[in-house]
């Protein structure tokens, strides 16, 4: 039992059910069928590439559900037979295979038990160590009280796979035609255990333990009715690529996605207490005023849907609720508990080994991965950091998670419960602290629902530095020259702070999504946003990218007068079409300046002012000509767009010329963004280029 002030304990009080693995089960089943259908070709060692052994492989971090998945795979096959597997079984040969798979026996093998084993002349033979571990695991699974003698086993088996499989079947009381499914877990131990064995040396003088290991698996797969699943923390992509080129083995990644909101609801509704099995988890945690849907949202907010973190968090909440004798009554109450330092420390404790032992090269990637998570920059499975390192593997090494968008595209997932652990790193830079703080404040549905928002994110982060910098700042001074109101405000503000997130403003009533709470304000609620949601010294980004709000908002105060300036920033990234014209500018002014004046300024003209700043990557020719290639401020009573819109009282509209936008975001970064967004509405890291992300990072660091 782990505790934090006796409040947060992790006793296992419920039986978690496996949910949301239909696609993974179908994926693994198809791979196993390929082996079954092509085993004869594997046996004859053909030199062609018509069939190469495919092994389902899950190189994921602790808590991703890989051990639970491989242990429960056969049970899941039974569960999904009439649903996700029904189309697979439509073919007679696949139906016959699926029928036999339902009768298969699972042999679970923990590779942390792998070690050199007698007889002495074979102690450094990896193949013998694997063979013995397989046989020993079968004996222990069958209830043998003692481990079999290694020497006696060797005298019988003699590294003969035919004899090994036959003996395992005898021990497990299996028919010869019955499927044997071997699940190797913790394959990552080969990173360190490989040094204890005599392994093949490649042309570069290096040993690759995974190549030897999967070569052994390949030999075992030549035996009839034998199948394998391999899981464990490892540099999965590097292993996959090398074994494909050398071992004639294709490793096919099992995605094991983090759970989404609806899957967490199912998890809570179908999991029961261990002792009082008539009670569901949601019955214990939720009162009548606190729905299971809200509980699922709170858990997704904290854990990111990572199964291991989710299970641990639910156990902690159950222990807490049962100790105090009453369920949660509000979502905010539940979220407040999960935000406590003690809860986060205890919940993340088993997950942080890698974090506390990061080497300097891996540690240097933290701010880049944080930016990718915050701005939702997806990456492809084969994106490289350098000639010998993949981003896919770097996420694992950093102790983070991957959220799959599709089979080959991922986002960096940073569970909020980890943030306290990272914040304890003494070497954190100011940029890293701002990024961590921003991720901590960001609503989790931003991460799962939003498209890439790198342009808005860069502008917002620049504003954080500009508003808080104590040194002379040319961009800030140029705004002061344009606007007397801006010049009258108190700058710099106290210091760099995280990006904060606010409810988005919409044209009409908020959309409804199942029974979730409202996600947006209606347009007549600007007063509540400005007076309630926005505070000084904070830069805000609306939750939804395509909202009826400006892309960025902040509020400033005069140091000598009771005067406030509301600032909205409209980021107009134009990469494919012509630059923004007057119609675009007027649209932005109507959705910000007009409702803010109507709802707020008209009631307090002597106190409040409002400014809209247009930050565009490209201006239409008629707009650029009127500006005269310089930024311009339009004040109250002035008309724009052929007199079609009048600036309301106490309001200002600032349109930045392209050279001032380049002052805000340097030319090379803008060029890189244009290249990326001209190829896709949802560009991935490959479209941006690793160099561009690093340049953005360096530009932030240069402003500290």
């Amino acid at each position: 039992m782990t505790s934090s002030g006796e409040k947060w304990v992790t006793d296992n009080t419920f039986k978690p059910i496996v949910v949301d693995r239909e696609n993974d089960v179908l994926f693994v089943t198809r791979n196993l069928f390929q082996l079954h259908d092509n085993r004869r070709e594997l046996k004859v060692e053909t030199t062609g590439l018509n069939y190469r052994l495919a092994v389902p492989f899950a190189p994921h971090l602790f808590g991703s559900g890989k051990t639970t998945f491989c242990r429960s795979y056969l049970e899941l096959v039974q569960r999904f037979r009439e649903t996700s597997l029904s189309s697979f079984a439509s073919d007679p040969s696949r139906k016959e295979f699926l029928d036999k798979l339902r009768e298969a026996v699972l042999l679970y093998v923990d590779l942390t038990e792998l070690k050199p084993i007698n007889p002495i002349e074979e102690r450094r033979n990896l193949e013998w160590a694997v063979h013995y571990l397989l046989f020993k695991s079968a004996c222990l699974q069958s209830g043998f009280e003692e481990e079999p003698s290694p020497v006696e086993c060797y005298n019988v088996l003699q590294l003969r796979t035919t004899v090994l499989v036959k003996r395992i079947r005898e021990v497990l009381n299996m028919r010869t035609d019955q499927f044997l499914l071997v699940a190797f877990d913790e394959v990552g131990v080969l990173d360190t255990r490989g040094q204890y064995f005599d392994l093949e040396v490649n042309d570069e003088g290096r040993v690759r333990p995974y190549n030897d290991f999967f070569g052994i698996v390949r030999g075992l797969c030549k035996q009839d009715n034998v199948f394998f699943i391999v899981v464990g923390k490892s540099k999965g992509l590097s292993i996959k690529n090398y074994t494909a080129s050398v071992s004639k083995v294709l490793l096919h990644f099992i995605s094991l996605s983090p759970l989404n909101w609806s899957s967490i609801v199912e998890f809570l509704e179908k999991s029961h207490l261990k002792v009082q099995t008539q009670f569901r988890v949601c019955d214990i945690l939720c009162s009548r005023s606190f729905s299971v849907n809200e509980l699922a949202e709170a858990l997704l907010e904290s854990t990111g849907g990572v199964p291991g973190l989710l299970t641990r968090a639910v156990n902690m909440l159950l222990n807490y609720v049962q100790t105090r004798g009453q369920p949660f009554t509000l979502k905010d109450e539940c979220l407040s508990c999960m935000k406590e330092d003690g809860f986060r420390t205890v919940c993340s404790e088993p997950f942080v080994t890698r974090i506390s032992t990061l080497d300097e090269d891996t540690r240097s990637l933290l701010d880049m991965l944080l930016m990718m998570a915050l701005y939702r920059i997806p990456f492809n499975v084969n994106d490289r950091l350098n000639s010998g390192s993949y981003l896919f593997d770097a996420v694992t090494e950093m102790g983070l998670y991957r959220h799959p968008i599709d089979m080959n595209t991922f986002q960096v997932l940073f569970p909020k419960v980890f943030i306290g652990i990272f914040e304890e790193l003494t070497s954190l830079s100011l940029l890293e602290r701002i990024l961590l703080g921003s991720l901590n404040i960001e609503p989790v549905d931003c991460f799962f629902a939003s498209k890439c928002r790198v342009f808005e994110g860069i502008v917002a982060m620049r504003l954080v530095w500009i508003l808080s910098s104590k040194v002379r700042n040319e961009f800030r001074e140029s705004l002061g020259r344009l606007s007397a109101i801006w010049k009258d405000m108190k700058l710099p503000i106290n210091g760099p702070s995280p990006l904060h997130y606010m409810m988005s403003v919409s044209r009409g009533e908020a959309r409804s999504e199942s029974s979730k709470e409202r996600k947006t304000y209606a347009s007549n609620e600007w007063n509540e946003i400005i007076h309630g949601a926005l505070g000084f010294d904070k830069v805000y980004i609306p939750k939804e990218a395509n909202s009826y709000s400006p892309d960025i908002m902040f509020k400033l105060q005069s140091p000598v007068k009771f005067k406030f300036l509301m600032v909205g920033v409209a980021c107009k990234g134009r990469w494919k079409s012509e630059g923004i014209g007057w119609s675009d500018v007027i649209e932005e002014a109507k959705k910000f300046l007009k409702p803010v004046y109507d709802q707020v300024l008209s009631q307090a003209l002597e106190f409040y002012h409002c400014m809209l700043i247009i930050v565009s990557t490209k201006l239409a020719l008629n707009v650029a000509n009127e500006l005269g290639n310089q930024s311009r401020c339009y004040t109250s009573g002035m008309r724009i767009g052929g007199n079609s819109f009048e600036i309301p009282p106490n309001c200002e509209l600032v349109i930045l010329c392209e050279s001032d936008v380049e002052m805000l975001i340097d030319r090379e970064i803008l060029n890189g963004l244009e290249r990326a967004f001209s190829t896709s509405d949802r560009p991935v890291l490959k479209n941006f280029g690793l160099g561009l992300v690093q340049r953005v990072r360096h530009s932030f660091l240069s402003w500290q």
Side-chain angles (χ1 to χ4, degrees):
M1 181 174 74
T2 306
S3 67
S4 176
E6 301 301 323
K7 182 177 181 179
W8 300 116
V9 296
T10 59
D11 293 349
N12 294 321
T13 58
F14 79 108
K15 297 179 180 179
I17 187 173
V18 180
V19 296
D20 190 38
R21 291 293 178 240
E22 290 94 334
N23 291 335
D24 295 319
V25 169
L26 178 59
F27 175 82
V28 170
T29 304
R30 283 174 172 165
N31 275 269
L32 299 182
F33 177 73
Q34 284 184 15
L35 170 58
H36 176 71
D37 204 36
N38 294 278
R39 201 184 304 268
R40 179 175 298 179
E41 188 174 348
L42 184 67
K43 288 181 179 181
V44 298
E45 294 286 352
T46 56
T47 56
L49 297 179
N50 293 329
Y51 175 70
R52 304 176 73 184
L53 173 64
V55 176
F57 183 40
H60 301 300
L61 270 184
F62 177 69
S64 59
K66 56 190 180 300
T67 299
T68 300
F69 176 80
C70 67
R71 280 184 174 275
S72 59
Y73 168 72
L74 293 178
E75 174 194 333
L76 295 173
V77 168
Q78 297 277 19
R79 186 193 302 177
F80 301 140
R81 177 176 174 80
E82 303 301 327
T83 55
S84 57
L85 291 176
S86 60
S87 59
F88 171 83
S90 60
D91 177 85
S93 62
R94 293 199 295 264
K95 182 180 183 302
E96 180 184 359
F97 170 80
L98 192 59
D99 288 339
K100 296 190 69 174
L101 189 61
R102 293 172 64 195
E103 299 178 350
V105 173
L106 175 73
L107 175 59
Y108 176 80
V109 182
D110 184 356
L111 285 172
T112 60
E113 299 292 323
L114 183 70
K115 58 186 177 182
I117 201 74
N118 287 331
I120 192 69
E121 60 269 22
E122 297 290 350
R123 278 188 65 83
R124 294 186 62 82
N125 187 328
L126 178 62
E127 185 176 13
W128 166 239
V130 172
H131 281 202
Y132 174 76
L133 182 57
L134 279 164
F135 187 72
K136 182 183 81 169
S137 299
C139 292
L140 296 178
Q141 184 170 306
S142 295
F144 285 42
E145 293 183 358
E146 295 183 0
E147 296 180 0
S149 164
V151 175
E152 292 178 9
C153 287
Y154 184 79
N155 291 336
V156 173
L157 302 178
Q158 292 285 326
L159 291 175
R160 294 172 293 179
T161 55
T162 304
V163 178
L164 172 65
V165 172
K166 180 181 178 182
R167 293 292 186 179
I168 288 175
R169 288 186 179 279
E170 291 173 355
V171 169
L172 295 176
N173 195 26
M174 296 176 62
R175 305 187 311 270
T176 56
D177 66 339
Q178 195 172 2
F179 286 178
L180 171 64
L181 176 61
V182 179
F184 278 120
D185 197 2
E186 298 296 349
V187 69
V189 301
L190 291 172
D191 287 338
T192 53
R193 302 282 173 89
Q195 63 183 312
Y196 301 126
F197 300 98
D198 291 325
L199 303 174
E200 183 179 345
V201 180
N202 65 14
D203 295 338
E204 300 172 352
R206 300 176 61 186
V207 296
R208 301 274 189 174
Y210 293 96
N211 178 44
D212 294 72
F213 173 76
F214 282 106
I216 295 167
V217 171
R218 187 174 186 274
L220 289 165
C221 283
K222 295 177 183 178
Q223 300 301 308
D224 289 337
N225 301 323
V226 179
F227 304 88
F228 290 87
I229 298 175
V230 180
V231 304
K233 300 180 289 291
S234 61
K235 294 183 179 181
L237 193 59
S238 299
I239 297 166
K240 174 183 178 179
N241 291 342
Y242 193 79
T243 55
S245 63
V246 177
S247 305
K248 301 178 182 178
V249 176
L250 296 177
L251 302 180
H252 289 179
F253 288 159
I254 311 169
S255 66
L256 296 180
S257 307
L259 303 181
N260 59 22
W261 169 78
S262 61
S263 296
I264 297 176
V265 170
E266 182 184 359
F267 177 83
L268 296 168
E269 290 181 334
K270 293 185 177 180
S271 297
H272 291 75
L273 297 186
K274 274 188 174 181
V275 178
Q276 297 171 297
T277 56
Q278 72 273 25
F279 290 110
R280 302 179 303 169
V281 165
C282 58
D283 297 330
I284 304 300
L285 294 177
C286 298
S287 65
R288 290 184 178 180
S289 60
F290 178 46
S291 71
V292 65
N293 292 353
E294 291 177 305
L295 175 59
E297 288 177 346
L299 286 164
L300 183 62
E301 186 84 28
S302 181
T303 67
V306 175
L309 278 171
L310 174 67
T311 301
R312 192 169 175 87
V314 169
N315 264 317
M316 293 169 64
L317 293 176
L318 282 170
N319 281 294
Y320 172 68
V321 162
Q322 290 175 317
T323 299
R324 74 172 188 171
Q326 66 180 69
F328 293 107
T329 56
L330 295 170
K331 178 182 175 181
D332 286 346
E333 178 194 11
C334 185
L335 269 176
S336 178
C337 284
M338 288 191 281
K339 290 177 181 178
E340 289 185 14
D341 291 341
F343 182 95
R344 288 183 167 184
T345 299
V346 173
C347 189
S348 59
E349 185 178 17
F351 298 76
V352 299
T353 303
R354 287 178 182 260
I355 298 172
S356 60
T357 58
L358 293 176
D359 60 64
E360 190 58 34
D361 288 342
T362 305
R363 168 69 182 76
S364 66
L365 298 173
L366 177 59
D367 51 14
M368 188 182 79
L369 294 178
L370 292 175
M371 277 197 297
M372 291 180 65
L374 184 62
Y375 300 155
R376 266 85 67 199
I377 302 176
F379 65 95
N380 287 327
V381 66
N382 290 312
D383 282 341
R384 287 180 177 268
L385 290 169
N386 51 55
S387 59
S389 179
Y390 294 93
L391 183 58
F392 183 94
D393 293 337
V395 174
T396 301
E397 288 185 84
M398 184 63 73
L400 304 181
Y401 292 86
R402 296 174 293 267
H403 173 69
I405 297 172
D406 56 43
M407 186 175 294
N408 295 308
T409 313
F410 304 86
Q411 281 182 208
V412 179
L413 173 60
F414 195 102
K416 290 188 180 182
V417 75
F418 282 0
I419 286 177
I421 300 297
F422 276 86
E423 286 179 336
E424 291 177 3
L425 297 174
T426 57
S427 56
L428 278 183
S429 67
L430 179 58
L431 172 61
E432 289 166 337
R433 293 191 183 280
I434 292 173
L435 292 169
L436 280 169
S438 302
L439 285 166
N440 192 31
I441 298 169
E442 178 189 48
V444 73
D445 52 345
C446 272
F447 176 87
F448 289 106
S450 268
K451 293 184 177 180
C452 179
R453 296 173 72 182
V454 62
F455 179 49
E456 296 90 336
I458 291 173
V459 173
M461 193 69 77
R462 286 290 204 190
L463 287 170
V464 168
W465 302 125
I466 288 168
L467 296 173
S468 60
S469 175
K470 292 180 172 60
V471 299
R472 182 178 177 272
N473 184 285
E474 186 176 353
F475 183 85
R476 195 169 67 199
E477 290 183 359
S478 69
L479 286 175
R481 289 192 296 270
L482 289 169
S483 165
I485 299 175
W486 177 278
K487 190 174 183 180
D488 199 29
M489 291 299 110
K490 181 183 179 182
L491 291 172
I493 60 177
N494 290 338
S497 68
L499 302 179
H500 289 246
Y501 288 78
M502 54 170 275
M503 294 291 188
S504 303
V505 180
S506 64
R507 283 181 179 269
E509 290 305 310
R511 70 167 189 261
S512 61
E513 184 178 347
S514 69
S515 59
K516 290 187 178 184
E517 65 183 0
R518 290 179 55 174
K519 294 299 181 186
T520 57
Y521 286 111
S523 59
N524 62 354
E525 296 181 81
W526 273 107
N527 200 332
E528 183 176 347
I529 291 176
I530 292 174
H531 289 299
L534 294 180
F536 300 112
D537 298 357
K538 294 179 175 68
V539 174
Y540 286 82
I541 297 181
K543 284 170 62 173
E544 298 179 23
N546 296 317
S547 66
Y548 198 59
S549 316
D551 298 292
I552 302 163
M553 294 175 68
F554 54 94
K555 184 164 65 174
L556 302 176
Q557 181 177 11
S558 170
V560 294
K561 302 175 183 177
F562 192 63
K563 183 185 293 186
F564 308 98
L565 176 62
M566 271 302 313
V567 183
V569 182
C571 299
K572 308 295 287 183
R574 290 298 172 92
W575 320 108
K576 296 179 181 179
S577 60
E578 296 180 358
I580 70 162
W582 283 115
S583 61
D584 301 293
V585 173
I586 292 170
E587 179 186 355
E588 293 295 330
K590 284 182 177 179
K591 76 180 188 183
F592 181 61
L593 294 181
K594 188 177 188 309
V596 171
Y597 171 76
D598 292 341
Q599 303 295 322
V600 184
L601 271 61
S602 61
Q603 308 300 319
L605 276 175
E606 58 182 306
F607 302 125
Y608 272 91
H609 291 75
C610 183
M611 173 187 288
L612 174 64
I613 303 175
I614 304 290
V615 180
S616 175
T617 54
K618 191 182 298 182
L619 297 174
L621 186 61
N622 60 345
V623 177
N625 287 341
E626 181 166 328
L627 295 182
N629 295 318
Q630 60 184 359
S631 298
R632 184 170 175 181
C633 177
Y634 295 85
T635 58
S636 301
M638 297 181 70
R639 292 184 172 273
I640 60 172
N643 296 325
S644 59
F645 182 79
E646 181 177 330
I647 307 298
N650 280 29
C651 291
E652 292 185 338
L653 168 67
V654 174
I655 305 176
L656 297 183
C657 66
E658 292 181 14
S659 60
D660 280 349
V661 174
E662 290 178 18
M663 187 194 311
L664 183 64
I665 307 175
D666 73 55
R667 181 73 255 171
E668 288 301 314
I669 293 176
L670 287 170
N671 287 341
L673 293 176
E674 181 173 6
R675 286 193 298 270
F677 281 96
S678 64
T679 58
S680 171
D681 289 331
R682 176 137 195 191
V684 297
L685 181 65
K686 184 177 181 180
N687 301 125
F688 292 107
L690 184 64
L692 176 64
V693 178
Q694 291 172 332
R695 188 178 184 92
V696 172
R697 169 184 177 270
H698 292 318
S699 74
F700 287 154
L701 292 173
S702 68
W703 281 54
Q704 290 186 194

